[in-house]
Amino acid sequence: MPSQILLATHINAPVEKVFDIARNIDVHVESTKHTGERAIAGRTSGLIELGETVTWRAKHFGIWQNLTSKITEIDYPNYFTDIQVEGAFKSFTHEHYFYPILNQTMMRDIFTFESPGGILGDAVNFLFLSNYMTQLLVKRNEVIKQVAEAPQPPKGGA
């Protein structure tokens, strides 16, 4: 049975900027550095685009794992969706929505996932995996917010 995580993050930055930061591989790596995560195949830096894949390698629960996801939908700067192509989950879909509010953004995540293993997988989701994934997504969103709200260096020179 699928589990779902819903998050909303208010960011004091324009929607276009937040949208691009949210699909930036380098920012993602920064947000998951505590897991040793890095992009090892497909798009490995910069902005991921429609139809592109990225393979991540990270340590979760003491085990190195690879996971490949693919961008299946993009409507700039309103939403994009990525799905697992290969990895530890039975499936996952991560929908990213961006709502402009004046010169700010409300970023909304809908992360739907299913673990393998039937009833045992459902128990794992309930007991700890849903909380673990929520914390990963919250951390990721905190980094996106920090990057988006950081002061911009002056253009030009002196």
Side-chain angles (χ1 to χ4, degrees):
M1 178 169 215
S3 296
Q4 193 170 74
I5 298 167
L6 305 172
L7 295 175
T9 307
H10 178 262
I11 301 174
N12 187 17
V15 70
E16 296 85 0
K17 181 178 184 180
V18 176
F19 183 89
D20 285 344
I21 290 169
R23 62 191 178 102
N24 187 302
I25 301 290
D26 307 298
V27 172
H28 181 96
V29 168
E30 177 64 24
S31 74
T32 57
K33 64 183 176 184
H34 62 285
T35 68
E37 188 159 337
R38 64 188 200 281
I40 61 168
R43 167 70 76 160
T44 59
S45 66
L47 302 181
I48 194 161
E49 301 287 352
L50 180 64
E52 291 185 322
T53 63
V54 57
T55 300
W56 304 101
R57 180 159 178 77
K59 187 180 269 190
H60 298 284
F61 308 111
I63 301 167
W64 284 102
Q65 301 176 42
N66 291 351
L67 183 141
T68 302
S69 63
K70 179 178 183 175
I71 303 297
T72 59
E73 295 179 272
I74 286 186
D75 177 19
Y76 181 87
N78 304 304
Y79 72 86
F80 69 93
T81 301
D82 58 288
I83 64 166
Q84 175 189 273
V85 175
E86 197 172 315
F89 292 100
K90 182 175 179 182
S91 67
F92 86 59
T93 301
H94 189 175
E95 300 168 81
H96 311 256
Y97 292 90
F98 304 86
Y99 303 99
I101 304 168
L102 300 173
N103 201 31
Q104 301 176 357
T105 304
M106 178 59 67
M107 182 173 71
R108 184 167 183 238
D109 292 272
I110 303 173
F111 186 79
T112 306
F113 67 100
E114 191 169 1
S115 296
I119 293 171
L120 182 57
D122 292 345
V124 167
N125 288 355
F126 178 77
L127 293 173
F128 64 88
L129 189 57
S130 288
N131 186 54
Y132 181 80
M133 293 306 300
T134 299
Q135 295 310 310
L136 278 176
L137 293 171
V138 165
K139 174 66 176 164
R140 178 181 183 279
N141 289 356
E142 287 172 357
V143 171
I144 291 169
K145 181 177 174 73
Q146 289 169 359
V147 171
E149 293 180 350
Q152 298 300 308
K155 291 183 180 181

